[in-house]
Amino acid sequence: MAITSLFTKVFGSRNQRYIRQLDKIADSIDALEPKYQALSDADFPLQTQALKDRIAAGEPLDDLLPEAFALVREASVRTMGMRHYHVQLIGGIVIHRGKISEMRTGEGKTLMCTLPAYLNALAGNGVHVVTVNDYLASRDAKWMEPLYNFLGMSVGVVIPSLSHEAKRAAYACDITYATNNELGFDFLRDNMAFSLDAKVQREPFFAIIDEVDSILIDEARTPLIISGQVDESPEIYNRVNKLVPLLVKATEEVDQKEISKAIMNKQALPEPDGDFSVEEKSKQIFLTEQGMQNAEDLLKKNGLMGPDDSLYDSQHISLMHHVSAALKAHHLFEKDVDYIVNEGEIVIVDEFTGRTMEGRRWSDGLHQAVEAKENVPIQKENQTLASITFQNYFRLYPKLSGMTGTADTEAYEFQTIYNLEVIVIPTHKPMIRDDAGDLVYFSQKAKFEAIIEDIVSCTERQQPVLVGTASIEVSELLSEQLKQQKIKHNVLNAKQHEREAMIVAEAGLPGAVTIATNMAGRGTDIVLGGNLAVELESKGQISESEKAQLEADWKARHQQVLDSGGLRIIGTERHESRRIDNQLRGRAGRQGDPGSSRFYISLEDNLMRVFGQSRMMDNMKRFGMKEDEYIEHKWITRIIENAQRKVESHNFDIRKHLLEYDDVANDQRMVIYQQRSDLLEAEEIGEYISDVREEVFDNVIRQHIPLESVEEQWQVPQLERVLSHEFGIEININRILERDEHLDDDGLTDKIHDHIDRFFKEKETMTGTDVMRHFEKAAYLNTLDQLWKEHLAQMDHLRQGVGLRSHAQKQPIQEYKRESFEMFKDLLDKIKYETIRIISRVKVQQEEDVAAMEHKEEQNVTFQHQSSSSQPTQPDEKVETFIRDGQKVGRNDPCPCGSGKKFKQCHGRLS
């Protein structure tokens, strides 16, 4: 430890050594200033194009940095009259290198951001500047737009009210300002789109996050969620529930020989004597032809279908699900065996342990069907349609950086979670703010009396005061007490961002008193004497003499505030995070201004109640202190900071733990989104669907005719029934066997595949090739979306219950990874199976049927953020999806590996 301390004293800290390196680069930028001062205004866009051409020729961005930064600085002087300071150049280099730049309040982060944004936008992939609210995004974009336009760069801003076309145009700009929420929601919406035209974002490239600690830490505790209510209202479950008892269960099975005979003679298939048959072993219910007709008649009679509609029309697929779910509820799920009714709720009983599974629900409408059966309230669930955490969203960017006034206290978390290093940038002028020690009182009453006394003292000498509170309740309490003292003041409402920024801009007026919560004051500096720029803007068109008078008045006010001691910061209590306290203190002392700060604490504050209240109170009484007296000592301040460190460490552990779980879901999310993207970008997926169909039917066949089995092991009647009822494909397998008695399992499988291929060719001939290709893509996307939503719900349920496994000496996170992986494998298989089943069963007669499949539910969708990479491809790059290189290997062809086996028995063998 002593050696490390000595090394730091001699050579400086890592931060200091890094800053010294960047100083040299900033000096080289300064040296280029005369060159760009000699340019005409018309030369700047030409310089931008020249830099773009050099990047296109392969020159790295780092080599262009001095020229690009010098160009931006000169453009800023000409368009806005602002010249980047030396420390702003250093901050810009830090951001360009993918690190976090910590700069004190008032050091000009908004202007500094233009340097790395311009340099990286030269690559043509788009740069995102991320802010915490819509007002700041719009303000910063409007403020910096003249600079970017002067350089020949386009600027866009993304806010929720924009149309689809306007938002897409904003993302196509060189530099786009947007909020973290809108970026995340647009990413999720793009991955729910049914066409490439419906997407708005480009591939993520480079993001600069303003207030990076707020976005990546404070707001990263909970995910962004797009949720929507289940398609139909609960009433439909009750209506279908009344119809299901009218359908009759089959009493006995039909002899398989009669089925085979009917197929041979091309006669109607004999059906069980009833509307449906039950297979309890696999928990399946099959409607007979008679049952389908009766169900269709009942649905028409009760107004759930039109008189000319068919149950298997594409727009009525959901009705078939309801009928199937209701039949299962009545005939497969038994009260007090599979579930119990507890206080008006259906609670599932675990079939293995016999224990109730609180909070778990069956998917695909089954739970609602059981609720309708038992006549209990049907819960209309809010289904998660898409979800992502800010941690995983921003880690999609190949290059990420940020800026804030307070990041160093969270440097370990930034490094651990995001691989972002925090670099503290020195101030342009020395910091002279006086940060006084904390005053600790017995009670909150005594503390607030001292705070009011401090405020009164400041107003008497016309010193502006910013009072920071941790809650709205405390703000209102202080406001009432100030009203009693007849002290004029403003109370900030953090939800009104634009009004908030205006009040903060005026908080530096002589004698101004401003009460703000933790969220207040971000993005706008408190200028001593008031913000002259805001004042001039509010006056509109004025004469030069009036403008000169306003400037003279501001100078007088400014000097008056300087003489009174600058801005006074009063903290009403310590926050759990030192970073929030530092944010409050950072409002004073900008750009070398004077200022002072002090925190008032009572032993009744939340932080003090949790940490060390009783021992400190005993010590204070031992020293003979009275209720209205206070204690001030560096040891007390140190104890409080240690308490804050413990809370910060605990909160970090919680966020890291949550991220471990979300990383599992994120891996699956990226697989599904990539598959979805490939489907959208492919012009047609006929060959892929053909491969999927072969895989699905191979699995179905092999379940009944195992590999390398003998005829006695074959389950021919069951296979015929599955093909008929699940896929609508009628095959007389016994007839195939009679024609060729020497068929082995491989030969029979090939014959069945041939029959299935003919079925789909006939279907395509009737439908039309173009319509069929369109429908295949729509069916796959629709199935993928529906099953992914169900999978998300199952993952939520698994997550809620997996923690209990720690009681069995198991690691919950490992159990979660193992089970979610199995669930995901099942999901991928189910997507293929359900897609082929829909393509097989649904009657597609015209393009309108495909449009019905593509219909997306946009009503009742909620966008929610509760307060819990690969290299990008070029936008114009065509992705050739599902195109096979070389000739397709047939199932019975020799395997290309040279083993001598058939392909289906070697590398083509299905697991």
Side-chain angles (χ1 to χ4, degrees), residues 340-410:
I340 62 170
V341 180
N342 182 27
E343 296 181 354
E345 290 188 3
I346 301 297
V347 181
I348 301 174
V349 175
D350 191 314
E351 62 178 314
F352 301 108
T353 66
R355 293 180 179 146
T356 57
M357 303 165 73
E358 299 285 347
R360 295 288 295 270
R361 293 178 67 82
W362 289 304
S363 61
D364 209 18
L366 178 59
H367 208 98
Q368 286 88 344
V370 175
E371 287 170 334
K373 168 192 168 186
E374 297 296 340
N375 197 27
V376 301
I378 297 175
Q379 297 181 23
K380 189 173 182 180
E381 294 181 277
N382 250 359
Q383 189 175 27
T384 298
L385 308 180
S387 171
I388 194 169
T389 59
F390 281 130
Q391 287 103 322
N392 277 318
Y393 172 71
F394 283 111
R395 289 194 301 186
L396 293 174
Y397 285 84
K399 187 174 177 182
L400 182 66
S401 64
M403 52 189 181
T404 182
T406 48
D408 198 39
T409 55
E410 315 293 342

Side-chain angles (χ1 to χ4, degrees), residues 11-27:
F11 298 102
S13 66
R14 149 75 181 165
N15 194 92
Q16 291 167 336
R17 297 195 303 275
Y18 192 77
I19 293 295
R20 284 201 293 266
Q21 293 174 14
L22 301 189
D23 260 330
K24 297 176 183 177
I25 302 175
D27 289 340

Side-chain angles (χ1 to χ4, degrees), residues 730-796:
E730 309 294 347
I731 303 179
N732 188 339
I733 297 176
N734 282 329
R735 184 178 180 182
I736 295 173
L737 291 171
E738 288 171 2
R739 287 178 175 174
D740 188 347
E741 297 179 356
H742 302 291
L743 279 177
D744 60 2
D745 62 286
D746 278 342
L748 180 57
T749 300
D750 292 340
K751 295 285 187 183
I752 296 172
H753 272 292
D754 291 341
H755 193 104
I756 291 169
D757 289 341
R758 285 196 298 273
F759 170 84
F760 280 97
K761 284 178 182 175
E762 291 172 6
K763 191 179 185 75
E764 184 173 323
T765 301
M766 294 172 59
T767 303
T769 301
D770 291 342
V771 175
M772 195 65 189
R773 294 291 86 80
H774 190 185
F775 180 73
E776 286 171 347
K777 181 186 281 192
Y780 202 110
L781 284 170
N782 203 49
T783 303
L784 184 147
D785 287 349
Q786 184 61 37
L787 293 179
W788 173 242
K789 287 185 287 186
E790 293 177 12
H791 179 74
L792 287 176
Q794 291 169 3
M795 291 279 283
D796 285 343

Side-chain angles (χ1 to χ4, degrees), residues 692-703 705 749-750 753 756 891 904 908-910:
V692 169
R693 188 170 67 227
E694 186 172 324
E695 179 183 336
V696 167
F697 283 113
D698 232 13
N699 284 331
V700 170
I701 293 168
R702 285 306 179 190
Q703 287 174 10
I705 303 175
T749 300
D750 292 340
H753 272 292
I756 291 169
R891 298 180 68 258
K904 65 186 179 185
R909 182 171 178 172
L910 294 168

Side-chain angles (χ1 to χ4, degrees), residues 10 29 54 70 160 240 336 341 352 370 418 424 435 487 592 604 645 675 730 740 759 802 849:
V10 175
I29 298 169
R54 287 166 62 183
V240 173
D336 296 331
V341 180
F352 301 108
V370 175
Y418 303 99
V424 180
D435 294 329
I487 296 175
E604 295 175 351
R645 284 192 180 93
Q675 193 175 106
E730 309 294 347
D740 188 347
F759 170 84
V802 78
D849 293 331

Side-chain angles (χ1 to χ4, degrees), residues 257-467:
K257 291 182 180 179
E258 293 184 29
I259 295 177
S260 300
K261 184 178 178 182
I263 293 175
M264 285 177 62
N265 297 325
K266 296 185 178 180
Q267 298 173 344
L269 291 176
E271 293 275 0
D273 187 18
D275 295 320
F276 62 92
S277 58
V278 179
E279 201 170 286
E280 293 187 22
K281 183 179 179 182
S282 60
K283 289 211 166 185
Q284 293 292 325
I285 285 184
F286 298 107
L287 277 171
T288 64
E289 282 293 334
Q290 172 191 323
M292 290 180 193
Q293 187 60 52
N294 288 342
E296 193 174 286
D297 293 342
L298 288 169
L299 291 168
K300 290 178 180 178
K301 186 177 179 181
N302 285 271
L304 293 171
M305 285 174 54
D308 299 325
D309 290 345
S310 167
L311 192 57
Y312 277 104
D313 286 343
S314 54
Q315 65 266 35
H316 294 312
I317 292 175
S318 61
L319 274 179
M320 195 63 219
H321 281 305
H322 286 304
V323 172
S324 177
L327 283 169
K328 289 178 181 178
H330 279 266
H331 300 282
L332 289 174
F333 290 83
E334 190 177 341
K335 183 179 177 181
D336 296 331
V337 177
D338 298 291
Y339 63 90
I340 62 170
V341 180
N342 182 27
E343 296 181 354
E345 290 188 3
I346 301 297
V347 181
I348 301 174
V349 175
D350 191 314
E351 62 178 314
F352 301 108
T353 66
R355 293 180 179 146
T356 57
M357 303 165 73
E358 299 285 347
R360 295 288 295 270
R361 293 178 67 82
W362 289 304
S363 61
D364 209 18
L366 178 59
H367 208 98
Q368 286 88 344
V370 175
E371 287 170 334
K373 168 192 168 186
E374 297 296 340
N375 197 27
V376 301
I378 297 175
Q379 297 181 23
K380 189 173 182 180
E381 294 181 277
N382 250 359
Q383 189 175 27
T384 298
L385 308 180
S387 171
I388 194 169
T389 59
F390 281 130
Q391 287 103 322
N392 277 318
Y393 172 71
F394 283 111
R395 289 194 301 186
L396 293 174
Y397 285 84
K399 187 174 177 182
L400 182 66
S401 64
M403 52 189 181
T404 182
T406 48
D408 198 39
T409 55
E410 315 293 342
Y412 178 72
E413 180 164 353
F414 281 122
Q415 186 69 55
T416 305
I417 303 297
Y418 303 99
N419 197 27
L420 287 172
E421 183 181 1
V422 176
I423 302 296
V424 180
I425 310 298
T427 55
H428 176 55
K429 294 181 180 179
M431 171 68 69
I432 59 172
R433 185 184 66 229
D434 177 23
D435 294 329
D438 299 351
L439 299 185
V440 182
Y441 290 80
F442 270 111
S443 65
Q444 286 194 350
K445 181 175 179 294
K447 178 184 75 172
F448 285 124
E449 287 174 354
I451 290 171
I452 296 297
E453 187 178 328
D454 193 344
I455 294 172
V456 171
S457 173
C458 290
T459 55
E460 287 175 351
R461 61 177 179 269
Q462 290 294 289
Q463 182 178 13
V465 185
L466 178 66
V467 184

Side-chain angles (χ1 to χ4, degrees), residues 602-709:
S602 82
L603 297 181
E604 295 175 351
D605 292 346
N606 287 336
L607 191 70
M608 300 304 292
R609 275 193 301 104
V610 176
F611 294 96
Q613 177 221 37
S614 57
R615 191 196 311 172
M616 196 177 296
M617 184 173 285
D618 291 341
N619 290 336
M620 290 173 76
K621 287 181 178 178
R622 191 179 304 142
F623 294 140
M625 291 183 58
K626 299 178 182 178
E627 288 284 330
D628 58 347
E629 291 181 332
Y630 64 85
I631 184 171
E632 178 185 5
H633 198 281
K634 61 181 180 181
W635 288 358
I636 300 292
T637 303
R638 194 175 301 159
I639 290 171
I640 294 168
E641 288 189 350
N642 287 337
Q644 289 176 310
R645 284 192 180 93
K646 290 179 182 177
V647 177
E648 289 166 2
S649 176
H650 176 68
N651 289 338
F652 168 59
D653 288 341
I654 291 173
R655 288 191 291 268
K656 188 177 179 182
H657 182 67
L658 289 171
L659 186 61
E660 286 178 343
Y661 282 92
D662 191 64
D663 280 344
V664 178
N666 191 59
D667 292 341
Q668 298 179 6
R669 182 190 298 119
M670 290 302 107
V671 170
I672 292 295
Y673 284 178
Q674 185 60 52
Q675 193 175 106
R676 225 180 166 281
S677 179
D678 290 345
L679 286 167
L680 287 177
E681 292 172 359
E683 293 184 4
E684 58 94 6
I685 60 171
E687 187 176 350
Y688 176 71
I689 290 292
S690 176
D691 290 345
V692 169
R693 188 170 67 227
E694 186 172 324
E695 179 183 336
V696 167
F697 283 113
D698 232 13
N699 284 331
V700 170
I701 293 168
R702 285 306 179 190
Q703 287 174 10
H704 300 87
I705 303 175
L707 194 66
E708 299 177 357
S709 59

